[in-house]
Amino acid sequence: MPTFSPDDLLKQIQQRQFQPVYFLQGEEPYYIDLVADRLEQTVLPESDRGFNQVVLYGKDADVATILGQAKRFPMMAERSVVIIKEAQAVADLEADKSWPFLEAYLKNPLTSTVLVFCYKHKTLDARKKLGKLMGEKAAVLTSKKVYDNQVPAFIAGYVRSRQQSIGGQATAMLAEYIGTDLGRLTNEIDKLLLNVLPGHSIDEDLVQRMVGISKEYNIFELQKALVQRDVLKANRILSYFEANPKANPIIPNLTLLFGFFTKLLVLHQHGNPSDADFKKLGIINSFAQKDYSLAMRVYDFGRTRSIIHLIRRADLQSKGVDSGSMTDGEILRELVFLILHPVPLSAITG
């Protein structure tokens, strides 16, 4: 049986074309949950779920229990559904002793049962017996990790699927602020969709209000201050961060700065980056492209590389490495000072 994309499986489910066994695996849990939830909500009407739908959790289940449930005939219903969440935690799933029983069932599954394995954060080894058998007998979805440059397209597609639109700056802010956590990202977009005015698109003002980003004092404004070498603005933002540490934790801020300067380093390697080069890095908004173009003039290749080292150093300091009694606010303030006032790395690291 071929592997399927999330869209393939969702389309089949909508058309009520159900497979007897699903094996949903991979590093990105969003699509695994999406397909499993759709099966949970679609295969059986709500009135039949009490007797014919079972949800097991991997840490509390073994192969014998799973197969015992899968072999049960439905009670006064066309089908039964068995969903194993966190299937990677089933202790004997890949054990030799379980192999004959799994093989026997997968080669001849009960057609009235829809059996769903949710195997998160990793994949079966396709060279081993269970991986081969699942590939042959189950509908396999391999949910791959989404890269930073794929996030803007995901946001636009998700909003479009909800019959709404989103501005380029708002897309860039969500992509930068939330990153590749698709579960959190879709939750935030759903919140935005509930608050967007009829006839309007999601814009940066709505994102700032609903996602908890201060309009004047946020990491994007700090990033802009660094690009424009606006020392006064940078210090105002740092003071706000220090006064509101819970709303501005250092690790996400360092992550965003690291992402910005890493992309800047890649752009330097292109020399004179084209529009396609920007888009490969997920920089699709014209305003963001202007910021990066200005940053390339302000911070040359060597300086950009040094800044990345400084951010890594600050990350280690935030985790207690060579930081002494420095607070998170002091670590970030020192980092910003060193970005705006170049000091040889050898003088800092000794």
Side-chain angles (χ1 to χ4, degrees):
M1 187 177 290
T3 57
F4 294 88
S5 71
D7 287 341
D8 291 335
L9 291 181
L10 293 172
K11 185 176 180 180
Q12 287 182 10
I13 294 167
Q14 184 179 14
Q15 296 171 346
R16 300 194 61 78
Q17 298 172 0
F18 304 118
Q19 306 287 347
V21 182
Y22 292 86
F23 197 86
L24 315 175
Q25 64 175 355
E27 296 179 20
E28 177 48 67
Y30 171 76
Y31 291 111
I32 296 172
D33 289 337
L34 181 64
V35 172
D37 289 347
R38 195 66 59 85
L39 286 165
E40 191 172 349
Q41 296 161 10
T42 305
V43 178
L44 296 174
E46 190 170 356
S47 58
D48 290 342
R49 293 174 196 165
F51 290 110
N52 296 295
Q53 187 157 284
V54 176
V55 176
L56 302 173
Y57 288 85
K59 64 182 178 63
D60 301 319
D62 56 19
V63 168
T65 302
I66 293 166
L67 296 182
Q69 292 288 348
K71 291 175 182 177
R72 287 194 312 120
F73 287 96
M75 291 180 61
M76 296 179 290
E78 183 182 357
R79 292 183 175 88
S80 63
V81 179
V82 181
I83 300 174
I84 301 90
K85 297 190 175 183
E86 308 295 338
Q88 73 278 2
V90 177
D92 61 344
L93 184 62
E94 299 177 66
D96 288 340
K97 66 177 183 179
S98 303
W99 169 250
F101 306 104
L102 279 167
E103 181 182 33
Y105 184 82
L106 289 170
K107 286 187 173 180
N108 188 28
L110 193 63
T111 56
S112 59
T113 295
V114 176
L115 176 59
V116 186
F117 292 90
C118 302
Y119 191 89
K120 293 182 178 179
H121 309 299
K122 57 182 181 177
T123 59
L124 289 176
D125 190 333
R127 299 166 298 180
K128 294 183 177 179
K129 290 188 294 186
L130 184 58
K132 286 182 180 178
L133 189 64
M134 285 293 182
E136 293 170 1
K137 301 298 181 182
V140 176
L141 165 68
T142 300
S143 182
K144 296 180 179 179
K145 193 72 177 172
V146 173
Y147 294 104
D148 288 338
N149 65 336
Q150 297 172 309
V151 173
F154 173 86
I155 293 170
Y158 185 82
V159 172
R160 193 164 52 248
S161 74
R162 303 291 299 275
Q163 287 76 54
Q164 262 293 356
S165 59
I166 183 168
Q169 185 69 6
T171 299
M173 288 181 73
L174 282 172
E176 289 285 347
Y177 190 73
I178 298 176
T180 59
D181 185 341
L182 299 189
R184 183 183 169 207
L185 192 57
T186 52
N187 285 337
E188 293 293 349
I189 294 172
D190 289 341
K191 186 166 66 176
L192 292 167
L193 291 170
L194 289 173
N195 289 275
V196 68
L197 295 173
H200 290 70
S201 62
I202 297 172
D203 59 19
E204 57 267 35
D205 288 336
L206 184 62
V207 171
Q208 287 171 333
R209 282 194 291 112
M210 300 308 302
V211 182
I213 307 172
S214 167
K215 191 165 187 175
E216 295 182 66
Y217 302 108
N218 59 65
I219 190 61
F220 307 107
E221 291 301 317
L222 178 59
Q223 188 174 280
K224 190 178 293 185
L226 294 176
V227 171
Q228 296 173 350
R229 299 189 62 78
D230 188 334
V231 177
L232 180 60
K233 182 178 179 180
N235 282 318
R236 283 175 178 167
I237 295 170
L238 290 171
S239 295
Y240 178 83
F241 283 2
E242 286 180 295
N244 299 275
K246 289 185 179 179
N248 300 279
I250 189 170
I251 296 299
N253 287 334
L254 291 177
T255 300
L256 289 169
L257 288 175
F258 182 80
F260 177 83
F261 283 100
T262 301
K263 289 177 183 177
L264 188 63
L265 192 68
V266 174
L267 291 171
H268 272 302
Q269 292 171 334
H270 288 291
N272 185 23
S274 65
D275 189 55
D277 294 327
F278 281 109
K279 287 180 178 177
K280 283 179 184 177
L281 293 171
I283 308 167
I284 59 174
N285 180 267
S286 59
F287 295 104
Q289 290 181 8
K290 288 178 182 177
D291 284 344
Y292 276 96
S293 295
L294 175 58
M296 288 180 71
R297 297 194 293 272
V298 173
Y299 302 105
D300 62 21
F301 179 84
R303 182 67 190 138
T304 302
R305 190 169 58 180
S306 296
I307 290 170
I308 290 171
H309 284 297
L310 290 172
I311 297 171
R312 285 176 171 159
R313 174 176 172 266
D315 179 61
L316 289 172
Q317 288 177 322
S318 71
K319 295 167 183 171
V321 179
D322 296 329
S323 59
S325 59
M326 292 175 73
T327 65
D328 286 351
E330 289 168 341
I331 291 168
L332 189 58
R333 190 175 287 279
E334 181 186 67
L335 171 65
V336 169
F337 178 86
L338 292 172
I339 291 173
L340 292 171
H341 304 85
V343 176
L345 278 176
S346 57
I348 301 167
T349 60

